[in-house]
Amino acid sequence: MQVDHDAPVVFLHDIHRQYRQGETTLTILSGAKLALWAGQSVALVAPSGTGKSTLLHIAGLLEQPDSGEVYVNGAPTSTLSDAERTQIRRTDIGFVYQSHRLLPEFSALENVMLPQMIRGLSRKETVQRSREILAYLGLSERVTHRPAELSGGEQQRVAIARAVANAPRVLFADEPTGNLDPHTAAHVFNALMQLVRATQVAMLIATHNMELANMMDRRVSLADGQVVELD
């Protein structure tokens, strides 16, 4: 995909999304707009049920809006095929979830290698890149350990390493520290912020943690189906 360096990495324009629940129609997003720029961290702070996950899924091309457009690198995505959307997710987008979702039978190193091998990089290159990312996140002594042998914070840092393994241009995180104690959450969050500064990736994090949100470049919320800037 052609990269427009003057455009936001991701731009949501006039996004609408409704769900049917029995006889009721739930309006989740109603004309939502949001721009994410390279090297900028944005906190999405809103109560449960207001559509944070829906917004993340639409921005990350995991879900189609009912109407509106998602631009990635300045290019519209609404008319792309499923294969083309998958390719963008594979190369330009990284995801971190509340649950680490690591594959239990693989080591930390192998979990980080997998998305790179799926992309087509050589085994030698994926081993080197994966070791470098894990070392950057303070896990060089844990590369051969399987998820069950890692602490919760270590597991989540491996998940972050996996999310950035293909050098995405944007990183989406859905309550990435929600299952962690405050000290571990701060450690994982600091690792995320280091990566944003070092790689100039754009980052959108859905979180309930206002202390962490206040450390980010921007804070946004959802009100009446629209994205509103806080502060």
Side-chain angles (χ1 to χ4, degrees):
M1 174 175 280
Q2 188 79 20
V3 176
D4 180 349
H5 293 287
D6 294 326
V9 178
V10 173
F11 177 50
L12 307 184
H13 178 67
D14 199 26
I15 299 296
H16 292 258
R17 188 72 173 104
Q18 295 181 328
Y19 296 109
R20 293 284 296 170
Q21 196 172 63
E23 297 297 308
T24 312
T25 298
L26 296 175
T27 297
I28 305 298
L29 299 173
S30 179
K33 295 180 182 179
L34 178 65
L36 302 174
W37 301 87
Q40 186 180 69
S41 58
V42 182
L44 174 58
V45 185
S48 297
T50 52
K52 294 195 302 294
S53 294
T54 298
L55 187 76
L56 285 175
H57 290 166
I58 289 173
L61 305 186
L62 290 170
E63 186 177 330
Q64 287 267 33
D66 297 323
S67 63
E69 186 61 82
V70 180
Y71 295 87
V72 179
N73 298 329
T77 60
S78 59
T79 59
L80 297 180
S81 67
D82 285 344
E84 289 168 325
R85 291 164 67 86
T86 298
Q87 184 60 33
I88 293 173
R89 288 198 303 271
R90 196 171 284 167
T91 57
D92 287 352
I93 298 172
F95 293 94
V96 182
Y97 299 96
Q98 184 169 350
S99 171
H100 55 76
R101 299 189 183 183
L102 299 175
L103 297 171
E105 66 273 26
F106 292 112
S107 68
L109 184 69
E110 290 165 337
N111 267 282
V112 180
M113 288 171 59
L114 274 171
Q116 299 172 75
M117 296 187 77
I118 291 169
R119 186 176 175 180
L121 299 182
S122 70
R123 182 176 177 83
K124 180 180 178 182
E125 188 175 358
T126 62
V127 168
Q128 181 182 341
R129 282 167 56 91
S130 300
R131 285 187 179 277
E132 287 173 357
I133 297 167
L134 288 166
Y136 185 82
L137 292 171
L139 294 166
S140 53
E141 304 298 314
R142 314 293 277 167
V143 293
T144 61
H145 291 64
R146 293 183 179 175
E149 301 170 304
L150 301 171
S151 70
E154 288 170 339
Q155 291 172 352
Q156 198 64 317
R157 279 184 282 155
V158 174
I160 292 167
R162 178 184 58 190
V164 301
N166 279 330
R169 301 197 70 227
V170 62
L171 187 63
F172 296 108
D174 197 353
E175 297 286 357
T177 60
N179 289 337
L180 306 174
D181 65 82
H183 176 75
T184 305
H187 194 61
V188 168
F189 178 79
N190 287 334
L192 268 171
M193 294 300 289
Q194 273 182 289
L195 276 169
V196 170
R197 286 190 287 268
T199 63
Q200 286 297 291
V201 66
M203 180 170 69
L204 178 65
I205 295 185
T207 182
H208 285 107
N209 190 324
M210 282 307 298
E211 189 177 341
L212 298 186
N214 286 332
M215 296 166 64
M216 299 174 68
D217 297 322
R218 283 168 61 201
R219 281 150 297 283
V220 299
S221 188
L222 288 167
D224 299 323
Q226 299 198 6
V227 178
V228 293
E229 296 280 339
L230 299 178
D231 300 335

